[in-house]
């Protein structure tokens, strides 16, 4: 089992920045990827960014160059640094841990970008 707890999101003005964190516990060593997904109202959940156990990162096209994922292996935490936020980034953000046969989710945290 893996447990994931996201930090609180918040409301940010367009162009602003916000950092989310995810504290992981349990069998983290068996997970191939940890990352962030988001879901806006009426839309499917989509990949924001993820990082492999080897440190390789990938991000969705809509956030490339603006968002960055990082991982603290010692603290079992994953971070999402979000810069130059846009109204279309408004969504519930979910922390995720997965391998080939297991998929774990945090409870989600709301991020709202609005003036």
């Amino acid at each position: 089992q893996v447990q994931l707890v996201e930090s609180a999101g918040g409301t940010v003005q367009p162009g602003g920045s916000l950092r989310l964190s995810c504290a992981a516990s349990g069998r983290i060593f068996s997970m191939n990827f940890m990352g962030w997904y988001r879901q806006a109202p009426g839309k499917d959940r989509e990949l924001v960014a993820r990082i492999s156990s080897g440190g390789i990162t990938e991000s969705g096209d809509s956030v490339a160059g603006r968002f960055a994922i990082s991982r603290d292996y010692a603290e079992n935490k994953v971070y999402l640094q979000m810069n130059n936020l846009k109204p279309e980034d408004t969504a519930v953000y979910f922390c995720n841990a997965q391998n080939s046969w297991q998929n774990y989710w945090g409870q989600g945290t709301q991020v709202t970008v609005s003036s």
Side-chain angles (χ1 to χ4, degrees):
Q1 290 288 336
V2 171
Q3 295 79 40
L4 304 169
V5 180
E6 298 105 339
S7 60
T11 298
V12 183
Q13 291 188 342
S17 297
L18 188 66
R19 189 175 84 153
L20 301 178
S21 65
C22 172
S25 60
R27 299 175 62 87
I28 300 301
F29 62 89
S30 66
M31 298 293 110
N32 297 127
F33 293 97
M34 292 194 68
W36 293 91
Y37 288 71
R38 68 184 182 187
Q39 187 166 21
K43 295 188 176 181
D44 293 334
R45 192 170 296 188
E46 65 173 356
L47 172 69
V48 177
R50 68 178 187 175
I51 183 167
S52 73
S53 56
I56 297 173
T57 63
E58 60 181 293
S59 60
D61 291 341
S62 62
V63 304
R66 299 189 298 123
F67 291 11
I69 189 170
S70 61
R71 183 171 178 176
D72 185 329
Y73 292 87
E75 296 290 330
N76 283 333
K77 288 186 176 181
V78 177
Y79 301 96
L80 183 67
Q81 178 66 44
M82 303 183 290
N83 298 323
N84 190 22
L85 282 158
K86 303 176 180 181
E88 51 264 41
D89 295 318
T90 295
V92 178
Y93 284 70
F94 297 90
C95 184
N96 173 265
Q98 62 181 255
N99 57 26
S100 299
W101 64 95
Q102 295 170 304
N103 205 6
Y104 295 96
W105 298 96
Q107 79 281 4
T109 187
Q110 177 70 46
V111 173
T112 301
V113 184
S114 173
S115 55

